[in-house]
Amino acid sequence: MSIALHPAPPPLSLPPWRKAYAEAVTDPAELARLLGLPRDLVDAAAARSFGLRLPRPFLGRIERGNLRDPLLLQVLPALAESETRQGFAFDPTAEQARSPVPGLIRKYHGRALWIMTGACAVHCRYCFRRHFPYADHLAGIEGRVDVLTHLAADPTIEEIILSGGDPLSLPDEQLAPLAAQLAAIPHLRRLRVHTRLPVVVPERVDAALLSWLAGTRLAPVVVLHANHPNELDGAVGAAVDRLRAARVPVLNQAVLLAGVNDSVEALAALSTRLFELGVLPYYLHQLDRVVGASHFEVADDRAGELWRGLAARLPGYLVPRLVRDDGVSPYKVALSTTQGRREPPKRTDESPRRRGR
Ligand SMILES: *Cc1c(COP(=O)(O)O)cnc(C)c1O
Ligand code: SF4
């Protein structure tokens, strides 16, 4: 019996999240059928430019028959994407000019953002990287060496942010050794992951993920991306519980989106629900003005008004910072909280002015 005749070993069984990831709905007809919606639901041209893609756990949170469902609107290729509007660009955050080595973006002091993959579990129509030339930035394994070399050479970098696409689209067999290589760079202190996967495929938060994320000397932090409370069901809560049990702080960033979450009620419910799950609201982003997403834009005055409505209703720790990426400042710029306010608030009490606080 010769060794060469042995069959190849069977592939190791895939973790359950890979199956859920792979089985996302990409066929418009199937989407229409599953949601009881018209067959011509999806705009074909929009779907050609950026494909339909939504994982089934996320689909299960969409209300059947509701064309205005706030989750559906985030993922539905729509005719409005062909609108052209002044000021909307292909690279609205000027990322490509700030890339010292392919894949790495250096815009802010002490932090470097690594675009590790173009792949995402879900395709969000408003995504500011929907036109990102991933092919130029994903230089494979050699490219990773260049990124690590750059990080190691600059002692001002304290935090590495794994981003994408969705960095958790990559298998843990790739991420685990990478986390170890990052931990070997002495000046790095924090390992941050920007991901939507625990929201759209909660099984992604499994033992293999937790072991590299929480298993190095680097302080981990996960920043989720959810825009509406309906995205946050019990399975997402269980995924957050697993992260927190591994002592990983969990924050959320949302994008302010017309038709999805542009009401004080929706935003307050989002913050409240996040906190119930153990997540703190971090940023509420004004939309990056990317071509194809103009119909999601909320005017700055209205955004300021919504933020004030939220601040007037919730404790300060549940009020995310309303920011935009202006492409030039060394931080995400806070929109003025008085943006769009016509008059200063009036004192309503007649009691004598109190001293101090
Ligand atoms: C948003 C962003 C960061 C992180 O900014 P924080 O304010 O620390 O959350 C870092 N790098 C780039 C390129 C970014 O776009
Ligand atoms: S998950 Fe994030 S990177 Fe991916 S399409 Fe959505 S917004 Fe864009």
Side-chain angles (χ1 to χ4, degrees):
M1 199 167 74
S2 130
I3 286 172
L5 289 178
H6 276 286
L12 295 172
S13 66
L14 289 181
W17 73 265
R18 296 275 291 273
K19 191 160 179 287
Y21 188 108
E23 287 173 353
V25 174
T26 55
D27 171 20
E30 186 183 11
L31 179 70
R33 187 168 47 73
L34 289 170
L35 292 177
L37 289 168
R39 282 190 65 85
D40 59 357
L41 180 67
V42 166
D43 183 70
R48 269 196 304 279
S49 105
F50 186 45
L52 169 74
R53 177 171 180 91
L54 73 159
R56 285 162 210 269
F58 191 80
L59 189 143
R61 303 171 207 151
I62 296 175
E63 190 193 344
R64 265 184 75 83
N66 180 5
L67 274 168
R68 309 301 309 163
D69 182 277
L71 277 53
L72 179 66
L73 293 179
Q74 295 180 51
V75 297
L76 187 67
L79 181 62
E81 292 174 33
S82 58
E83 284 169 13
T84 51
R85 202 182 288 181
Q86 185 91 42
F88 280 73
F90 284 95
D91 176 21
T93 57
E95 290 193 320
Q96 286 159 59
R98 308 290 197 87
S99 182
V101 281
L104 201 69
I105 301 182
R106 296 282 310 271
K107 291 212 306 204
Y108 305 141
H109 180 80
R111 288 149 288 169
L113 182 139
W114 190 349
I115 299 195
M116 304 193 69
T117 170
C120 282
V122 61
H123 285 178
C124 313
R125 309 312 299 177
Y126 52 84
C127 180
F128 74 109
R129 295 209 184 101
R130 58 181 286 172
H131 308 288
F132 193 87
Y134 286 108
D136 303 345
H137 278 264
L138 302 171
I141 303 296
E142 309 91 84
R144 290 195 189 157
V145 173
D146 292 345
V147 170
L148 290 165
T149 306
H150 177 93
L151 295 173
D154 184 347
T156 68
I157 305 173
E158 295 199 337
E159 178 167 347
I160 178 70
I161 303 171
L162 308 186
S163 183
D166 199 312
L168 298 189
S169 299
L170 297 173
D172 295 312
E173 301 84 82
Q174 286 185 39
L175 293 166
L178 206 89
Q181 283 171 298
L182 290 166
I185 298 174
H187 49 266
L188 283 182
R189 304 169 76 110
R190 295 181 299 277
L191 172 62
R192 187 190 325 183
V193 180
H194 280 180
T195 178
R196 192 151 162 67
L197 255 159
V199 175
V200 298
V201 180
E203 302 113 289
R204 178 64 185 93
V205 183
D206 60 9
L209 167 68
L210 294 170
S211 100
W212 65 261
L213 180 62
T216 72
R217 66 168 188 86
L218 300 170
V221 52
V222 164
V223 183
L224 299 178
H225 169 188
N227 303 310
H228 191 280
N230 292 4
E231 292 172 47
L232 303 170
D233 67 1
V236 180
V240 172
D241 284 347
R242 293 194 288 277
L243 287 164
R244 296 198 340 134
R247 311 216 301 160
V248 179
V250 188
L251 309 174
N252 183 64
Q253 47 187 343
V255 182
L256 184 57
L257 297 167
V260 173
N261 60 9
D262 58 337
S263 69
V264 175
E265 288 64 37
L267 293 171
L270 174 62
S271 278
T272 308
R273 180 70 182 143
L274 284 166
F275 191 68
E276 274 171 4
L277 267 47
V279 183
L280 284 173
Y282 178 36
Y283 281 144
L284 177 61
H285 293 273
Q286 258 301 45
L287 186 81
D288 292 311
R289 309 190 85 196
V290 66
V291 169
S294 60
H295 56 294
F296 284 115
E297 190 171 50
V298 176
D300 282 353
D301 282 3
R302 174 73 182 140
E305 189 176 280
L306 290 168
W307 187 90
R308 288 194 296 283
L310 201 59
R313 184 181 290 205
L314 292 179
Y317 60 87
L318 293 188
V319 182
R321 292 207 283 159
L322 175 63
V323 294
R324 77 145 29 94
D325 188 337
D326 68 1
V328 289
S329 301
Y331 38 76
K332 301 259 188 312
V333 182
L335 255 77
S336 164
T337 58
T338 55
Q339 176 83 46
R341 189 167 76 187
R342 275 168 197 82
E343 299 158 32
K346 290 190 195 65
R347 288 181 69 85
T348 50
D349 61 311
E350 297 295 313
S351 58
R353 235 191 154 123
R354 287 170 53 199
R355 288 172 180 274
R357 288 170 156 245

